[in-house]
Amino acid sequence: MVPPRLRRLAIFALLGAVLMVWTLFRREEWDHESLGGLESQYPLLYQHVHMQTGEGGAWYIPANWTTPTHKPPRNIVEAAEWALQATNASDHYLPFSTIPMIVHQTWKTTRIDTWPQLLRHSAERWLQAATEGPMAYFLWTDEGMAQLVHRFEPGLAMQFAGLASNVERSDVFRIVVSKWIGGVYGDIDTEPLRPPTQWISATDLLPWTDTQTGTSYPATAPVQAIVGLEADCREDTDTYWRMGYSQPVQLTQWAFAWAPGHPILQTFLDRLTTTLQTIADRYGGSLQSRAARQELLALDPLTLTGPAAFTEAVRSRLAETTGLRWQALSGLEDGGRSKVVDDVLVLPITGFSPGRGAYGNMGSKPVTDASARLRHLAQGSWRAFDWTVEYGKFCRTMLGRCRDWSKVPVPSAAIA
């Protein structure tokens, strides 16, 4: 006879096992139902991203860009190279430009069941715009981004890996992929309001004149870059830095478009590599030591790789080639019009940042305005609550102090 105590334990163990099996079954059933729901809600994302098994990310290339004898790409870098060749062979460019009809985005994984709903909605809209374009679409994971840098910028690979945070690597990747592949880049938390194939119209290319210098800027060649204002403030006030910007007129980096090989992209990379090499030289030529990483962490990502660094690269290049007075790009006096400088189309703040509220509006018009191309939903994965950052924001905005405080959380784990 089995003692009563052991019988009770056996019964409890059996009940626990049954409960575990039932729970797992229900979980699998729930997962199946949820994926089925995702397939119906986000059919393009489910088909071209979630069901993809490609190395380094996922991609969609229009069927009429390929041939039956075309060998499937082994990874996302090969797929991107092939898409660029296809655009060049058949003139698949955005109208009025030499910008390839290719869309790039990044995210941690292609498993859309792990994504926030907002990101699924945004990416589905991008894929819809791509398939209707028709345009190629690429979603790059961290693995794919590293592969691209190793393939095209091997001299940058060690510095790329040595950056203090994933957001900085994402900033650099979007420049590298624009330089070597080209096309449209949009953060995963942006949503196209108009397909990129409708981003440039004849009215965007009309000549304009800097009212202070009298310099005229006609569009004399196809557009090779599209950038948009993120900040548009008067230069004789402190409004811009109270709002957290580095310049009164600052460009956004959450969306832009480029023809491959544009020299502004190399200007950005040259400035970055010089800064990183200077730091490495102080620590035996490496960025991997604890002291080097602490110095990297002390640098504000916004000015190292983010919109401030990007704005400075564009500003310096256009000043050098055209003598552009940077503040002339402001739309505060002309109602917010597009301006072509050399081969760069600069959109007003409504272009990539429509629908801003009353505070910090800076001339931003509603998302329904004809000049709105996309909207930014501000759900970046780097955004985390940080008391220091929040106090700095309050101190700048309300007190007019703390101008140089960091505006993003410091990733403490990056020191390890």
Side-chain angles (χ1 to χ4, degrees):
M1 293 290 294
V2 179
R5 182 171 177 274
L6 291 181
R7 281 204 306 270
R8 286 196 298 269
L9 288 175
I11 292 171
F12 286 140
L14 180 61
L15 290 174
V18 171
L19 179 62
M20 182 179 297
V21 170
W22 181 83
T23 301
L24 290 174
F25 173 78
R26 291 297 299 166
R27 182 175 179 180
E28 289 180 1
E29 185 179 40
W30 180 87
D31 285 344
H32 177 74
E33 290 174 353
S34 65
L35 287 176
L38 291 178
E39 183 178 6
S40 63
Q41 292 181 67
Y42 311 104
L44 298 173
L45 194 61
Y46 186 88
Q47 177 184 356
H48 300 300
V49 174
H50 187 81
M51 298 302 292
Q52 271 262 12
T53 58
E55 180 184 335
W59 57 88
Y60 160 78
I61 300 176
N64 62 353
W65 290 18
T66 63
T67 64
T69 59
H70 174 66
K71 186 179 179 180
R74 293 173 298 178
N75 54 58
I76 194 169
V77 176
E78 286 188 2
E81 288 185 275
W82 194 91
L84 176 59
Q85 294 171 4
T87 61
N88 291 336
S90 304
D91 292 336
H92 293 308
Y93 303 127
L94 300 186
F96 305 103
S97 82
T98 56
I99 298 171
M101 295 176 66
I102 300 173
V103 173
H104 303 281
Q105 296 197 282
T106 65
W107 192 241
K108 306 166 189 176
T109 174
T110 59
R111 284 285 307 272
I112 68 169
D113 54 326
T114 66
W115 292 19
Q117 183 177 355
L118 181 145
L119 302 190
R120 290 196 292 260
H121 169 80
S122 300
E124 180 75 10
R125 290 294 304 275
W126 275 107
L127 266 166
Q128 182 180 3
T131 55
E132 292 175 357
M135 304 177 68
Y137 175 90
F138 293 86
L139 180 79
W140 301 78
T141 62
D142 291 348
E143 179 187 20
M145 291 193 290
Q147 289 175 357
L148 184 90
V149 173
H150 278 277
R151 168 71 176 85
F152 290 110
E153 299 279 353
L156 179 65
M158 291 297 292
Q159 293 181 333
F160 181 80
L163 288 169
S165 66
N166 283 333
V167 68
E168 292 170 340
R169 281 182 281 276
S170 176
D171 288 341
V172 176
F173 163 78
R174 68 192 68 184
I175 299 295
V176 174
V177 78
S178 297
K179 173 187 172 183
W180 289 102
I181 305 298
V184 176
Y185 172 85
D187 273 358
I188 197 72
D189 60 349
T190 61
E191 176 185 358
L193 300 171
R194 288 161 49 184
T197 51
Q198 299 176 20
W199 280 8
I200 309 176
S201 65
T203 56
D204 294 314
L205 309 180
L206 294 175
W208 65 281
T209 301
D210 181 346
T211 56
Q212 287 196 21
T213 66
T215 304
S216 294
Y217 294 90
T220 58
V223 170
Q224 295 191 47
I226 306 173
V227 297
L229 301 191
E230 175 185 14
D232 191 357
C233 304
R234 292 173 55 90
E235 61 182 337
D236 57 353
T237 71
D238 62 3
T239 303
Y240 72 97
W241 66 260
R242 280 183 175 239
M243 294 175 62
Y245 300 112
S246 298
Q247 298 192 36
V249 171
Q250 183 167 299
L251 301 176
T252 179
Q253 206 184 19
W254 59 62
F256 47 46
W258 299 89
H262 199 288
I264 287 177
L265 304 170
Q266 189 61 51
T267 297
F268 177 98
L269 293 174
D270 288 344
R271 288 170 172 267
L272 174 65
T273 55
T274 297
T275 298
L276 296 179
Q277 189 59 52
T278 299
I279 295 174
D281 288 344
R282 287 197 279 269
Y283 305 99
S286 172
L287 295 173
Q288 300 305 314
S289 70
R290 181 180 180 86
R293 294 186 69 76
Q294 286 178 323
E295 185 167 344
L296 282 173
L297 281 169
L299 300 176
D300 193 326
L302 300 178
T303 56
L304 178 64
T305 61
F310 174 65
T311 298
E312 185 56 28
V314 178
R315 186 204 64 77
S316 62
R317 177 71 186 185
L318 293 182
E320 176 186 342
T321 57
T322 71
L324 174 70
R325 183 180 67 89
W326 187 248
Q327 197 67 21
L329 297 177
S330 172
L332 295 178
E333 302 298 328
D334 60 20
R337 60 166 296 183
S338 298
K339 298 180 174 74
V340 175
V341 184
D342 194 9
D343 57 10
V344 179
L345 172 60
V346 183
L347 302 177
I349 195 167
T350 306
F352 289 158
S353 191
R356 298 178 67 106
Y359 174 74
N361 181 271
M362 297 178 288
S364 173
K365 299 173 185 176
V367 295
T368 54
D369 190 83
S371 62
R373 273 72 169 181
L374 63 75
R375 62 177 168 182
H376 184 221
L377 303 173
Q379 297 294 314
S381 60
W382 58 269
R383 295 179 181 273
F385 185 84
D386 184 279
W387 281 109
T388 302
V389 172
E390 293 303 315
Y391 176 75
K393 187 186 302 182
F394 169 81
C395 186
R396 281 192 307 274
T397 304
M398 305 303 296
L399 306 179
R401 302 171 65 89
C402 308
R403 179 173 180 173
D404 297 323
W405 281 38
S406 177
K407 303 171 185 66
V408 296
V410 174
S412 56
I415 300 178

